[in-house]
Structures are given as structure tokens and as C-alpha cells.
Amino acid sequence: RLDAWMPERIAVVKLRGFLEDMGGKVVESEPGILRIRLGLPEPGARKKKGDPEPLPVEITLLMEKPDARDSRLIINVRFRPFSDPVLLQMPAWRGKCENLFKELQAYLMAR
């Protein structure tokens, strides 16, 4: 969960920056919900020997504004693998999610 103190339109700009920098793709966007995917292989990209396997992740951001007069935005963040649930058993999975959460927190300057 993140608490961000900014107008929603500013949060949208910051989330776009996060997506671009992380190579994410939006798969669903509705009021209060944003679902993105990271770790998708680029079309036509070839894997080099020794490159680590990507850990594809779907991030769902559930955003709520408790008070319309306030600039507070509460963002609940959910991580899940979108290609293979076995990823949840990999030690690297939790670390990847924690790092992505920290990156997102930094982009939104949230606590």
C-alpha cells in the first residue's frame, strides 16, 4: 500500500514514466484500476546465452481517493505472475516484486 500526496493527474504522469522506464505495457485501465505487465519479451528479440530468464509480472494498482477535497491518493499494489504460477516458488520472485515496489514508491514519492 502506498500513500501519495498529489493530484491524480500528476500520479498518472508519474506512472507513465514508471511504465516507460520499466518497459511495461498497460493491459487494463479503468477508473481506479490500472493493470500493467512487465518482463514481456520484445517481439523478435533473441535470448542470448547466459541471459537470465525474465520474471514476467502483472502489477495491479487499485487507486482510491478518500476525500475529493484532498490530494491524498491511496494505491494498493498487487503483484502476480501472469505466465506461470510456478514463479511464486522461485526465490528471485519476491526480490523482484520488492524491488519493483521500491521503484514505484520512488516514482510516486510515496510512503
Side-chain angles (χ1 to χ4, degrees):
R1 177 181 165 146
L2 297 170
D3 282 335
W5 294 88
M6 68 187 72
E8 288 177 83
R9 65 183 178 275
I10 300 298
V12 168
V13 170
K14 291 182 177 216
L15 286 170
R16 258 192 216 127
F18 174 78
L19 280 173
E20 288 176 17
D21 290 349
M22 298 294 158
K25 306 280 187 226
V26 174
V27 293
E28 181 182 354
S29 179
E30 295 179 22
I33 299 173
L34 181 64
R35 188 168 289 125
I36 59 176
R37 288 186 176 169
L38 303 173
L40 294 169
E42 291 295 320
R46 294 184 179 177
K47 185 178 183 285
K48 296 176 187 170
K49 189 176 181 179
D51 281 353
E53 286 294 322
L55 296 175
V57 59
E58 183 172 275
I59 304 172
T60 303
L61 304 168
L62 303 166
M63 297 169 271
E64 64 180 89
K65 195 165 177 58
D67 185 347
R69 300 166 294 173
D70 197 1
S71 291
R72 182 175 181 220
L73 188 60
I74 297 172
I75 304 170
N76 288 297
V77 185
R78 296 181 185 157
F79 298 92
R80 72 179 188 91
F82 65 85
S83 63
D84 188 355
V86 173
L87 290 174
L88 291 170
Q89 307 303 318
M90 295 178 64
W93 171 255
R94 184 169 182 82
K96 177 176 178 115
C97 293
E98 287 172 355
N99 288 336
L100 286 170
F101 184 81
K102 288 176 188 174
E103 287 287 333
L104 182 60
Q105 188 176 28
Y107 272 82
L108 294 172
M109 294 182 287
R111 54 182 174 97

